[in-house]
């Protein structure tokens, strides 16, 4: 297990220079006094750091002048986010979603394409083609191509196991490198999501952060002391086998009431369909529960209670300041909010402070921006 600072390596080595660039990227234009205050630097020290950055054009004064609190006009500093561009791609079991972004991960062009085959070389060709299409839409030099997918990604961009693509030991970074000149980075999709969420999303400024996703399975991402925690086994869905309900059904591996079987969309649908005596889709289960159907409500609340227990387990082991919940199944947390809360309380020491939970909905391009951010983390060639 190792850790990567949640700062693009394109900002340079740790130190005041990188801190200045990072603050300006994350917060936008800032006056010199605000910047000095945020970084705990004196005006003279800040000036020493910013002088070479202004000279090189990496940062600049914004064109608009403001009148500062002392009545003197000030010109806020901003970063030139368009000095470098990256492409991020999310590969799902059915599509590729791609975005061309600048250093601030502003989306300058985006595209999506259906996967006609999950054969690795065909997917590599499609990703390269989609990247080329983005560069045609927005012609700029691209410094890195980041790809994320659900599964285990080993050193060198080899995909150890990706269940949705039916891949095992696929040297995907090498395949993709055969179709493009852009340096390639392959990462687990939860890593990509955690990076972007910490960088610009609901996790901004949170030093210790847990991200959980529910949907097809259960995903987990972790930031400790502003470092994204990497693990060789990330993407294998280990958290999904956490036991949550001794009376629940069993998963494929025979675990009774594990997170996968309690929280996955497919299993919630199955549970509700059996109770209701007809096939119901996930959205309908949630709607029925909200409309007061007791059978749908029971299915949803059993899952919600299990989710609450999982949140408390995550709080206990990771000691985060905040938990972010997302994924295609996140609607459960709204519909079963009371059951989630009850599940959280049941296992939590009653004197312990409540860890804030934020539920968010994100689209595929957002994950692609995270993949671009993973490419930015790579050392500059
Ligand atoms: Zn299991």
């Amino acid at each position: 297990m190792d850790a990567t600072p949640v700062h693009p390596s394109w900002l340079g080595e740790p130190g005041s220079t990188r801190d200045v660039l990072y603050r300006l990227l994350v917060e936008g234009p800032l006056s010199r006094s605000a910047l000095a205050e945020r970084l705990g630097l004196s005006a003279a020290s800040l000036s020493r750091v910013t002088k070479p950055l202004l000279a090189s054009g990496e940062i600049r004064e914004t064109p608009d002048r403001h009148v500062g609190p002392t009545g003197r006009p000030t010109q806020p500093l901003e970063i030139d986010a368009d000095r470098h561009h990256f492409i991020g791609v999310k590969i799902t079991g059915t599509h590729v979603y791609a975005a061309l972004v600048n250093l601030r991960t502003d989306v300058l062009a985006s595209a999506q394409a259906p996967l006609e085959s999950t054969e690795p070389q065909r997917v590599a060709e499609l990703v390269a083609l989609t990247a080329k299409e983005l560069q045609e839409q927005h012609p700029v030099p691209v410094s890195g191509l980041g790809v994320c997918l659900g599964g285990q990604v080993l050193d060198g961009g080899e995909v150890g196991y990706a269940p949705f693509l039916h891949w095992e030991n696929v040297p995907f970074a090498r395949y993709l490198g055969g179709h493009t000149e852009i340096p390639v980075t392959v990462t687990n999709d939860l890593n990509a999501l955690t990076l972007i969420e910490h960088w610009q999303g609901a996790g901004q400024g949170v030093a210790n952060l847990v991200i959980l996703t529910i949907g097809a399975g259960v995903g987990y991402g972790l930031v400790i002391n502003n470092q994204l925690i990497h693990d060789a086994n990330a993407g294998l869905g280990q958290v999904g086998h956490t036991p949550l309900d001794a009376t629940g059904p069993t998963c494929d591996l025979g675990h009774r009431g594990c997170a996968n079987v309690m929280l996955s969309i497919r299993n919630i649908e199955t549970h509700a369909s059996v109770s209701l005596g007809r096939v119901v889709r996930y959205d309908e289960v949630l709607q029925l529960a909200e409309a007061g159907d007791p059978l749908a409500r029971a299915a949803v609340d059993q899952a919600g209670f299990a989710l609450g227990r999982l949140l408390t387990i995550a709080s206990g082991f990771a000691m985060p300041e905040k938990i972010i919940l997302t994924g295609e199944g996140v609607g459960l947390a709204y519909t079963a909010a009371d059951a989630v809360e009850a599940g959280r309380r049941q296992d939590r020491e009653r004197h312990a402070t409540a860890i804030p939970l934020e539920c968010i909905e994100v689209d595929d391009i957002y994950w692609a921006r995270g993949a671009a951010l993973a490419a930015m983390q790579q050392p500059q060639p």
Side-chain angles (χ1 to χ4, degrees):
M1 197 183 265
D2 63 356
T4 304
V6 187
H7 294 100
S9 66
W10 288 82
L11 301 184
E13 294 300 311
S16 302
T17 297
R18 190 181 73 175
D19 292 344
V20 164
L21 294 171
Y22 181 74
R23 278 290 128 220
L24 293 177
L25 259 185
V26 171
E27 295 194 48
L30 286 172
S31 69
R32 285 176 168 82
S33 57
L35 193 54
E37 194 191 313
R38 293 236 197 336
L39 300 174
L41 294 175
S42 68
S45 303
L46 181 71
S47 169
R48 258 197 308 279
V49 177
T50 53
K51 209 171 167 184
L53 293 172
L54 284 160
S56 69
E58 281 178 88
I59 66 173
R60 60 192 172 208
E61 290 180 321
T62 59
D64 33 301
R65 292 170 83 83
H66 293 267
V67 179
T70 57
R72 276 172 43 203
T74 66
Q75 265 179 307
L77 297 173
E78 66 180 2
I79 192 163
D80 180 4
D82 290 309
R83 277 176 83 86
H84 296 288
H85 294 87
F86 295 82
I87 289 175
V89 177
K90 183 189 184 193
I91 306 176
T92 69
T94 59
H95 285 79
V96 301
Y97 299 89
L100 191 154
V101 303
N102 62 11
L103 275 175
R104 216 166 27 222
T105 78
D106 298 325
V107 177
L108 305 171
S110 65
Q112 68 177 72
L115 284 188
E116 274 155 25
S117 154
T118 57
E119 202 272 306
Q121 284 283 13
R122 297 280 306 278
V123 177
E125 277 170 38
L126 182 65
V127 169
L129 201 70
T130 311
K132 211 166 145 224
E133 192 186 314
L134 289 181
Q135 280 185 286
E136 281 161 16
Q137 277 185 46
H138 194 90
V140 285
V142 171
S143 306
L145 169 58
V147 173
C148 75
L149 50 84
Q152 181 193 32
V153 180
L154 306 169
D155 287 347
E158 174 166 341
V159 177
Y161 177 55
F164 303 111
L165 294 162
H166 316 289
W167 290 359
E168 243 172 286
N169 302 318
V170 170
F172 189 69
R174 186 156 61 77
Y175 289 174
L176 182 53
H179 296 282
T180 179
E181 301 288 305
I182 309 170
V184 171
T185 304
V186 180
T187 192
N188 166 260
D189 59 359
L190 253 298
N191 277 349
L193 180 70
T194 308
L195 281 171
I196 186 83
E197 211 40 56
H198 186 267
W199 170 244
Q200 288 181 329
Q204 198 185 102
V206 182
N208 300 303
L209 177 70
V210 159
I211 295 195
L212 280 165
T213 63
I214 54 174
V218 178
Y220 182 66
L222 184 62
V223 171
I224 298 286
N225 287 337
N226 290 312
Q227 316 263 316
L228 171 72
I229 305 299
H230 282 290
D231 179 65
N233 296 312
L236 288 177
Q238 308 172 95
V239 169
H241 294 295
T242 306
L244 297 176
D245 188 336
T247 68
T250 51
C251 81
D252 300 346
L253 297 184
H255 307 135
R256 184 158 298 284
C258 76
N260 280 337
V261 79
M262 297 308 298
L263 305 179
S264 75
I265 287 176
R266 186 165 59 91
N267 284 296
I268 292 170
E269 284 176 345
T270 305
H271 180 186
S273 299
V274 169
S275 301
L276 291 159
R278 66 186 175 90
V279 175
V280 276
R281 311 297 301 173
Y282 190 66
D283 289 347
E284 197 190 345
V285 180
L286 300 186
Q287 281 163 15
L288 285 169
E290 277 168 27
D293 181 293
L295 296 172
R297 172 51 66 189
V300 162
D301 281 355
Q302 192 182 1
F305 192 82
L307 173 60
R309 298 192 74 181
L310 183 63
L311 294 171
T312 290
I313 292 169
S315 308
F317 280 109
M319 294 183 254
E321 293 150 57
K322 182 173 187 176
I323 301 178
I324 295 173
L325 181 72
T326 186
E328 291 162 14
V330 72
L332 174 69
Y334 301 109
T335 304
D338 293 344
V340 172
E341 196 44 46
R344 291 187 81 182
R345 269 200 315 272
Q346 169 172 288
D347 297 343
R348 185 92 172 142
E349 157 60 42
R350 69 187 171 90
H351 295 100
T353 53
I355 309 295
L357 171 69
E358 187 165 344
C359 300
I360 55 165
E361 287 173 51
V362 296
D363 62 15
D364 292 297
I365 291 298
Y366 192 78
W367 294 73
R369 288 169 60 201
L373 202 43
M376 283 183 218
Q377 305 280 353
Q378 295 305 306
Q380 293 183 47

